[in-house]
Amino acid sequence: MTGPVQERRFALTDQVRSVPPNQTEEPELDLGRVMRAVRRQLRLILISGFIGAFIAALMILGSAPRYVAVETVLLDEKRADLLDEVSPLPNVFQSDSAVQSEIEIIKSQDMAYRVVDRLNLDENEAFLSPPVDATDQVIDWLFSLGDPLVALLTPSAPEPAPEPTTAPEDVSEDDVPQIDAKPSSRDRAAGLLRDRLSVSRSGRSFVIQIGVQDFEPVRAALIARVYGSSYERFQLEANRQVAGNAAEWLQERLDVLNQQSLEAASAVQEFRAANDLTQVRGSLLTEQQQSELATELVAAAANSAEKKAQLDSMESLLERASEGEDIVTVPGPDGREQELTTELRRDYQNVRLRYGSLLDQFGPDHPQVQELERRMEDLRDALRSELVQATEGARIAFNAARSREESLRQDLEGATSMSDENVAVRGRLQQLESISDTYEEVYRQYLGRYQVAVQQQGFPIASVDVISRAEVPTGASSPRKKALLVAGAFLGGLIGMMIAAVRELGAKPVRTPSTLRKEVGIDCAGLLPSKKRAEGDAERRTRARTLERLALSCEQYPSSSLGILIGIAPLTNDDDGDDALAEDLAAILTRGDRRSVLLIGDKTSFDAASQQASPSGGVTRVSMQAVRDHHDGQVTAENELQDDGTIVSELRESFDFVLFQMPPLSQSNRSDANSRACDIAILRVPWGRVLPGFVSDALKDNPTFEARLSTAVLEGADLRMARRYMGQGSYEERETYA
């Protein structure tokens, strides 16, 4: 059973939301935590962005300015159509592949050689030796460091084979290309020119943009213009060369076809004269006779079929009349009804109408009815007689048509039997005529193509046109200073964000009291600001509040009339610890000289003679060495107090609070000895230097100290940085910056 879809909510702060036991906690986006992380790492991101912008500025300063001039060329379709009318080979500029082919022609090495030769760039030292950017120099230097390894891994080049002293017999020396392994200045200039050339198509149009990049703006515009004119000249030369080659080849074929056509026509005439084949109106005499007889035979056969159809129709009507059916229509031999037959049919229909009317009125016995019946019978006999005569006429016409058809068929068979004897001769004649016609047609087509090719050789039209001349660029196209600075700052900031993300996603050191409470499980009185920074109002308030919390933690320990031993232990042996912590805490515990406090420091902190009460009131300062001298033999180790039943009891009876410094908690072999002598332990944790796991492990190694631990304090804190790790609007932040 499925329940309703629960709405996902995104927590904007560090508020803790309770989750029902039958539901799982949904992932939340803590925007407050994200914003605090950004605020914490903002300095790193800004520094990274500044470094990226600085590197980009160095690249800009070390880069030589480059200028780009653009020449715009149009592939003219109208001119291409005009060339199609006079060209033996069609121009195809309509396809994308054709436009791409033109772009590759512009990029070709042959076109680069043309421009180099026209401008003598192979003799221009400024063009052949361009300035090198500082960035390229650094990159080349870095790559040069690996040249020894590359040379070690590169196999030795094979020895060149000896060149043949003589060329083969079937190949002339002029046809063998000569290859120079060492590039010339012309090759270098062409290579540099192709590297600085950019050719692109404008959208899906037939416009091509030729861009040339150079370190001098005037030279860039000049090279771009020469590229456009060279490409236009190349098109003219290509059209003329194609037309010239086609004309030469067509001339050779025309000579051969002319001779073959003459020989074929002569063979036809000789064969006609040898076989006495007379031709009348374009065909042989026997063939003309056969054609006329065949035409007449077809007409006679059609006439016979028509007469046969008329005879069959007459006979069918006559058969129906003999069976007693009334026949009132008699067609004539030509298919139309005769005038007499029309009158008889009209009289018969009138009499039949009168007969039917009188029969209905008077019955069959009436004299007029009987008279009309006899009249109808006479009219039927007359129509039947006319039908018999018409049938005989149709039979006579059919016999005449069939006789003519048979006569024509016999004549055609006679003419055909006579022409069958010369079938082979006529077939050979047709073959010779077909060969002659073929040679004549091919010769005519080649002659037309030859005329077109000759016309195109002097046709001064190219299929391209320069529509926009290259102008001298007014500003450098690269380096693009603003874009490069923005890109450098962006990439630097992006790298900084990646480093910040790694730092945020990794383990974080202890920087807030809440971290100790949540991840270590111990109480923390607060922060003690670092002495390295200038002390302000926030630092003074935070320090006073933390010391007050420490004092309250010590005063809440349950005790009768005996004093309380308080041990203060640093987590690590850190030289940056707060040395005034014990002094300030002792001053607060006196509560205006109402209590006596003994402060035991190390042997360098106090003089052994200073065992009297301080001018401020009930704080007595002694060194550990003084305690050792007073209780000779009871304190066996340096900076350690061991409870043998007398020294600790004496201290409890003499003072309300006894504060003494303990060795670092990380030195577990010495910490537990002092832990057994104290009632309350205070842990000093360096701010932002240790991980929560480090604190937990140190407490596990000192179980006696952990059992007596009352609270901890974070010392050496940077309040401005610590605020970035506190929840916005939390009690911790408000108390720190109240």
Side-chain angles (χ1 to χ4, degrees):
M1 181 176 180
T2 58
V5 179
Q6 300 293 333
E7 180 183 0
R8 290 191 176 184
R9 298 182 179 180
F10 297 95
L12 302 181
T13 62
D14 290 336
Q15 299 175 357
V16 179
R17 183 168 59 91
S18 60
V19 181
N22 59 345
Q23 296 183 6
T24 59
E25 186 177 1
E26 297 180 352
E28 296 182 352
L29 177 62
D30 193 345
L31 294 181
R33 183 175 299 175
V34 173
M35 294 304 297
R36 289 194 300 275
V38 172
R39 184 176 60 179
R40 289 192 296 267
Q41 304 298 333
L42 182 60
R43 181 179 179 182
L44 173 62
I45 297 174
L46 292 178
I47 292 175
S48 300
F50 176 76
I51 294 174
F54 180 73
I55 295 175
L58 293 179
M59 294 176 61
I60 293 173
L61 294 176
S63 300
R66 293 174 172 83
Y67 302 87
V68 175
V70 179
E71 183 96 347
T72 305
V73 178
L74 172 65
L75 301 179
D76 198 346
E77 287 186 295
K78 296 181 179 179
R79 296 190 181 188
D81 296 338
L82 182 60
L83 287 174
D84 288 341
E85 298 177 0
V86 299
S87 175
L89 301 176
N91 287 280
V92 186
F93 277 114
Q94 288 76 16
S95 62
D96 293 341
S97 59
V99 178
Q100 189 63 34
S101 299
E102 297 300 319
I103 293 176
E104 295 301 324
I105 290 175
I106 299 174
K107 293 181 180 179
S108 64
Q109 189 174 14
D110 181 68
M111 191 65 64
Y113 281 140
R114 290 171 179 263
V115 177
V116 169
D117 295 338
R118 290 183 62 182
L119 296 177
N120 297 324
L121 295 178
D122 54 338
E123 300 176 0
N124 192 336
E125 291 298 331
F127 181 82
L128 295 176
S129 301
V132 181
D133 297 338
T135 305
D136 296 336
Q137 294 179 358
V138 173
I139 294 175
D140 294 341
W141 178 77
L142 292 176
F143 277 107
S144 65
L145 297 178
D147 290 344
L149 180 60
V150 174
L152 182 62
L153 298 177
T154 303
S156 59
E159 296 182 359
E163 297 182 357
T165 56
T166 58
E169 296 180 357
D170 55 344
V171 179
S172 62
E173 294 183 357
D174 296 336
D175 296 336
V176 178
Q178 302 296 327
I179 299 177
D180 189 2
K182 184 178 180 180
S184 61
S185 58
R186 183 169 179 262
D187 298 332
R188 289 181 53 220
L192 290 174
L193 188 58
R194 295 180 68 187
D195 292 338
R196 302 177 188 179
L197 178 68
S198 62
V199 185
S200 61
R201 180 182 182 183
S202 179
R204 305 293 298 175
S205 63
F206 295 101
V207 176
I208 298 177
Q209 295 179 344
I210 305 174
V212 178
Q213 185 184 78
D214 198 83
F215 296 95
E216 295 182 5
V218 177
R219 188 169 59 198
L222 180 60
I223 294 176
R225 291 190 177 186
V226 172
Y227 246 109
S229 60
S230 298
Y231 177 56
E232 188 176 9
R233 184 180 299 179
F234 171 81
Q235 289 289 339
L236 288 173
E237 294 177 357
N239 293 336
R240 292 172 181 174
Q241 184 177 3
V242 171
N245 295 337
E248 293 179 2
W249 183 80
L250 289 172
Q251 181 63 49
E252 296 177 358
R253 294 301 303 165
L254 283 174
D255 295 340
V256 176
L257 289 173
N258 185 23
Q259 184 64 28
Q260 292 176 346
S261 178
L262 291 176
E263 293 177 357
S266 300
V268 171
Q269 297 301 328
E270 291 176 359
F271 187 81
R272 287 182 181 276
N275 293 277
D276 194 16
L277 296 176
T278 305
Q279 190 174 15
V280 179
R281 290 182 296 180
S283 60
L284 297 177
L285 182 60
T286 55
E287 293 176 354
Q288 185 177 1
Q289 293 175 351
Q290 291 177 6
S291 177
E292 293 175 354
L293 289 174
T295 301
E296 293 179 2
L297 177 60
V298 170
N303 187 30
S304 298
E306 182 181 1
K307 299 300 182 183
K308 175 62 176 174
Q310 292 178 358
L311 177 62
D312 293 341
S313 176
M314 293 292 185
E315 290 178 350
S316 175
L317 291 175
L318 185 60
E319 183 178 358
R320 289 163 57 188
S322 62
E323 294 177 356
E325 184 178 351
D326 292 342
I327 302 300
V328 297
T329 300
V330 179
D334 55 355
R336 292 180 296 178
E337 190 177 16
Q338 301 294 329
E339 183 179 357
L340 179 60
T341 304
T342 302
E343 293 178 357
L344 292 174
R345 178 172 60 79
R346 187 182 302 110
D347 293 343
Y348 178 77
Q349 290 177 349
N350 293 332
V351 172
R352 187 174 180 178
L353 290 174
R354 292 176 59 194
Y355 172 77
S357 176
L358 293 176
L359 180 63
D360 293 337
Q361 293 179 4
F362 303 106
D365 297 333
H366 192 273
Q368 290 185 0
V369 172
Q370 294 177 355
E371 180 66 22
L372 291 174
E373 185 177 359
R374 286 193 296 272
R375 177 64 177 165
M376 288 173 59
E377 185 66 25
D378 294 338
L379 291 172
R380 280 197 292 270
D381 293 340
L383 288 171
R384 189 177 298 108
S385 176
E386 290 294 328
L387 180 60
V388 171
Q389 294 178 5
T391 302
E392 290 298 328
R395 183 175 290 108
I396 293 172
F398 169 69
N399 292 332
R402 186 172 59 181
S403 298
R404 175 172 173 74
E405 178 185 358
E406 292 296 333
S407 176
L408 290 173
R409 181 173 286 105
Q410 291 177 1
D411 295 341
L412 181 60
E413 291 177 355
T416 303
S417 61
M418 293 176 60
S419 63
D420 287 342
E421 298 176 358
N422 299 324
V423 170
V425 175
R426 285 182 293 145
R428 178 59 179 168
L429 178 61
Q430 291 179 359
Q431 183 179 14
L432 293 175
E433 289 177 346
S434 177
I435 294 173
S436 177
D437 294 341
T438 301
Y439 277 118
E440 184 179 359
E441 180 65 23
V442 172
Y443 178 79
R444 189 181 301 110
Q445 293 178 359
Y446 272 77
L447 183 60
R449 289 180 176 270
Y450 175 75
Q451 293 174 354
V452 172
V454 172
Q455 292 175 3
Q456 194 185 9
Q457 287 183 2
F459 206 73
I461 290 182
S463 57
V464 298
D465 187 18
V466 178
I467 60 176
S468 178
R469 288 292 180 184
E471 301 293 337
V472 178
T474 57
S477 60
S478 66
R480 301 175 63 182
K481 300 178 182 179
K482 294 182 180 180
L484 194 57
L485 286 174
V486 172
F490 176 77
L491 292 177
L494 184 61
I495 294 174
M497 291 178 62
M498 295 174 61
I499 297 175
V502 172
R503 294 177 60 182
E504 288 294 328
L505 295 176
K508 302 179 184 63
V510 179
R511 290 190 177 92
T512 59
S514 59
T515 304
L516 287 176
R517 299 188 190 102
K518 294 179 181 179
E519 301 188 19
V520 182
I522 63 176
D523 185 35
C524 182
L527 304 175
L528 289 178
S530 175
K531 293 292 185 179
K532 296 181 179 180
R533 304 183 63 89
E535 187 175 5
D537 294 338
E539 283 78 5
R540 285 192 293 270
R541 288 195 303 268
T542 302
R543 183 178 182 83
R545 185 178 297 107
T546 302
L547 291 174
E548 182 64 27
R549 291 175 180 174
L550 287 175
L552 292 175
S553 177
C554 296
E555 293 172 349
Q556 291 175 358
Y557 180 78
S559 176
S560 56
S561 60
L562 297 177
I564 301 173
L565 271 69
I566 303 172
I568 302 176
L571 180 64
T572 59
N573 188 12
D574 195 350
D575 297 336
D576 296 334
D578 195 342
D579 296 333
L581 173 61
E583 289 275 356
D584 296 338
L585 179 59
I588 296 176
L589 289 175
T590 59
R591 299 300 181 183
D593 295 339
R594 290 179 298 171
R595 297 173 182 168
S596 59
V597 179
L598 176 63
L599 180 58
I600 303 175
D602 56 17
K603 61 182 180 180
T604 60
S605 299
F606 310 115
D607 187 77
S610 60
Q611 300 181 12
Q612 304 298 324
S614 64
S616 61
V619 178
T620 303
R621 300 173 179 82
V622 296
S623 65
M624 186 61 69
Q625 184 64 34
V627 176
R628 290 170 56 86
D629 295 340
H630 182 69
H631 302 279
D632 189 15
Q634 296 184 16
V635 181
T636 58
E638 185 179 356
N639 292 335
E640 290 187 4
L641 290 176
Q642 292 183 352
D643 188 3
D644 62 351
T646 58
I647 180 174
V648 175
S649 300
E650 182 178 351
L651 292 176
R652 292 179 188 275
E653 294 174 355
S654 303
F655 299 93
D656 294 325
F657 294 95
V658 178
L659 278 66
F660 63 94
Q661 300 284 353
M662 298 175 61
L665 193 64
S666 57
Q667 300 176 3
S668 58
N669 58 339
R670 302 180 60 188
S671 297
D672 272 357
N674 291 281
S675 300
R676 288 190 294 269
C678 67
D679 299 319
I680 296 176
I682 297 176
L683 180 62
R684 295 166 54 186
V685 180
W687 182 87
R689 298 184 184 180
V690 295
L691 299 176
F694 184 87
V695 181
S696 301
D697 294 341
L699 292 175
K700 289 180 181 178
D701 289 343
N702 297 270
T704 306
F705 182 88
E706 184 179 8
R708 289 167 171 76
L709 180 62
S710 173
T711 186
V713 63
L714 289 172
E715 58 181 2
D718 183 355
L719 292 186
R720 288 186 299 177
M721 182 62 68
R723 186 179 185 181
R724 300 174 185 174
Y725 290 89
M726 299 177 185
Q728 186 176 6
S730 63
Y731 178 81
E732 190 175 28
E733 184 192 33
R734 292 187 179 185
E735 287 297 315
T736 303
Y737 292 91

